[in-house]
Amino acid sequence: MNSKSVTIIIGGGIAAYKSLELIRLLKKSGVRVRAVLTRAGAEFVTPLSLSALTCEPVYQNLFDLDNEAQMGHIQLSRSADLIIVAPATADLMAKMASGLANDLASTLLLATDTPVLIAPAMNVRMWKHPATMRNLAILKADGIALIGPDEGDMACGEFGFGRMKEPEAIFVAAQAALGAPGPLTGKHILITSGPTHEPIDPVRYIANRSSGRQGAAIANALVRLGASVSYITGPVSVPTPAGVTEIKVETALQMFDAVKAALPADAAIFVAAVADWRVDCADTKKIKKNAGKLPSFSFCENPDILANICALPKQTRPALVIGFAAETDNVLDNARAKKKRKKCDWLITNDVSGDVMGGANNQITLLRDEGEENWPLMSKDEMATRLATQLTKAITSS
Ligand code: CTP
């Protein structure tokens, strides 16, 4: 992205500190970054930090002679390939939606014909307020791209939607908006992720501890490399990776249908912890407690999605199929047998007897026909990046 240029507008919110990391990521990828700091933004990050990170002057005032002499605000609004507003506060969104131009940031946003990406950040009630929702609808209709916000704990102690997306996710969205090609551009990759929920009756289901974190991390890493990713996920609370096509499912049968519908693909990665069984004829009414009498259920087996995809004829089978093996004992022996049984090209195995499921780290062994590789304990993000690099080599060299 060496020839690209981004103007980032930093509004006044506690999330402003995350924009420093976003600038770092953009700079690292070769993008020229100019920062515009609002008066409220300057309460959270300093012009000095921004100037040090961007290696450029920081633009703060509409009527600042120095700023205007360096680059007039009209030129500043036109010279970038993308304008990012992060954090986009409720106030900035309101100004944009109503076309106000009473400071440098709002004037620049009104004067621009450059694509704009906003990453909102605010208290959950401010986000849900009808005024903000109205402004959001106007901004969307005006063609403004949106990323986030996420749901989670807020700096003010409340919980809900309003957290700014993580810098990494905004960076991915920015890359996509800038049309940056990557080594996987033009490749379609399918990922299953998260648990499946198998209903017992309308209010109960069988589930497992999968958080979907590893699958989301892999999807993120592949999007970063330019892949078009079909992300088929069971019920999870991890944020949807930016830039994927998300297909939400509940049960193993739905996941299987979604996988078949998403084909053809250049590669498929089966990270999901699919329930092996479902309750035969789940009840359509809530099963009532019946004093002293325990219910009993009969089960039937779910289709093995991975094995079915591996068994497809060569023309429809993805060139590279990767399975995961969640084991608690005889990890390697079980994994080797699983790879043979399911006929996948690569199998990633991990010991899930600890806190891997739902945790932030993973320690895996990669089984391939050429040999086995033991990877050290690392974060799920790092593991995803490493896997994406190996996958890129495999599907772009053939
Ligand atoms: N898998 C699948 N469909 C299923 C079960 C598993 O696609 N019905 C996939 C998983 O996504 C994973 C791999 O198969 O990539 C192995 O899953 P795992 O749960 O480790 O193995 P199982 O096949 O369920 O075998 P077991 O429970 O006996 O270990």
Side-chain angles (χ1 to χ4, degrees):
M1 297 212 285
N2 278 326
S3 59
K4 300 290 182 186
S5 151
V6 163
T7 295
I8 181 165
I9 296 176
I10 298 170
I14 189 75
Y17 77 94
K18 292 190 192 174
S19 298
L20 300 179
E21 174 63 8
L22 173 61
I23 293 171
R24 202 189 60 78
L25 290 169
L26 287 163
K27 289 286 292 179
K28 205 171 138 201
S29 69
V31 173
R32 176 173 192 189
V33 184
R34 290 194 190 92
V36 173
L37 187 59
T38 66
R39 200 147 59 97
E43 299 290 331
F44 295 90
V45 292
T46 67
L48 189 61
S49 327
L50 291 173
S51 171
L53 277 170
T54 58
C55 310
E56 302 267 352
V58 175
Y59 300 87
Q60 289 184 270
N61 299 314
L62 184 55
F63 305 112
D64 183 305
L65 266 183
D66 278 351
N67 273 184
E68 281 296 302
Q70 275 154 11
M71 179 175 283
H73 62 274
I74 299 291
Q75 200 193 341
L76 186 58
S77 77
R78 310 263 167 91
S79 62
D81 299 292
L82 177 70
I83 297 180
I84 303 176
V85 187
T89 57
D91 178 65
L92 268 172
M93 286 176 64
K95 279 183 181 161
M96 288 173 77
S98 49
L100 279 179
N102 58 2
D103 60 8
L104 180 60
S106 54
T107 305
L108 192 151
L109 284 160
L110 196 63
T112 196
D113 51 5
T114 298
V116 178
L117 170 69
I118 62 169
M122 65 197 74
N123 167 273
V124 57
R125 293 200 187 179
M126 290 168 80
W127 175 249
K128 287 199 166 153
H129 195 285
T132 306
M133 290 295 114
R134 265 196 314 273
N135 291 335
L136 180 66
I138 293 172
L139 295 177
K140 280 186 179 169
D142 287 350
I144 303 293
L146 171 85
I147 172 152
D150 274 342
E151 189 179 30
D153 289 321
M154 326 219 78
C156 54
E158 290 186 60
F159 179 89
F161 279 96
R163 278 173 63 93
M164 189 167 94
K165 274 273 183 196
E166 292 305 316
E168 182 83 354
I170 305 174
F171 173 67
V172 170
Q175 265 185 319
L178 289 166
L184 290 178
T185 298
K187 301 284 183 195
H188 175 218
I189 301 179
L190 176 167
I191 298 181
T192 68
S193 185
T196 63
H197 285 183
E198 308 297 330
I200 295 173
D201 68 14
V203 296
R204 304 178 178 95
Y205 56 83
I206 300 170
N208 60 63
R209 292 185 195 281
S210 168
S211 64
R213 230 165 143 162
Q214 185 66 80
I218 295 172
N220 253 322
L222 294 170
V223 170
R224 263 199 317 268
L225 296 175
S228 130
V229 174
S230 293
Y231 171 72
I232 300 166
T233 176
V236 291
S237 57
V238 288
T240 304
V244 300
T245 302
E246 183 184 42
I247 303 121
K248 288 185 178 172
V249 297
E250 295 244 334
T251 65
L253 288 177
Q254 290 168 359
M255 188 172 270
F256 192 22
D257 284 343
V259 166
K260 285 185 284 189
L263 289 173
D266 297 286
I269 313 176
F270 292 86
V271 197
V274 185
D276 292 322
W277 317 281
R278 65 182 183 276
V279 173
D280 203 4
C281 303
D283 230 295
T284 53
K285 294 201 193 81
K286 185 182 170 200
I287 303 167
K288 301 299 282 180
K289 211 164 24 190
N290 193 349
K293 213 172 147 227
L294 296 175
S296 64
F297 303 106
S298 64
F299 290 92
C300 59
E301 204 165 312
N302 274 327
D304 190 316
I305 308 172
L306 170 62
N308 270 284
I309 299 306
C310 289
L312 286 173
K314 203 167 180 244
Q315 314 86 272
T316 39
R317 183 191 189 277
L320 179 66
V321 181
I322 306 175
F324 270 70
E327 307 291 346
T328 55
D329 50 276
N330 294 329
V331 176
L332 273 179
D333 286 345
N334 281 339
R336 286 174 192 135
K338 207 170 265 181
K339 180 173 179 299
K340 232 184 222 164
R341 194 167 67 244
K342 304 205 184 207
K343 299 192 168 56
C344 52
D345 305 302
W346 298 0
L347 187 117
I348 291 164
T349 188
N350 53 5
D351 187 338
V352 291
S353 46
D355 57 1
V356 167
M357 276 185 147
N361 300 318
N362 207 351
Q363 198 271 302
I364 64 108
T365 304
L366 173 62
L367 279 64
R368 291 187 286 196
D369 292 342
E370 307 87 276
E372 294 175 9
E373 265 177 39
N374 242 321
W375 293 8
L377 180 71
M378 58 183 83
S379 74
K380 288 184 176 174
D381 287 337
E382 263 181 275
M383 182 274 179
T385 306
R386 200 162 156 174
L387 178 68
T389 308
Q390 300 232 10
L391 174 145
T392 304
K393 270 191 216 142
I395 68 170
T396 53
S397 63
S398 51

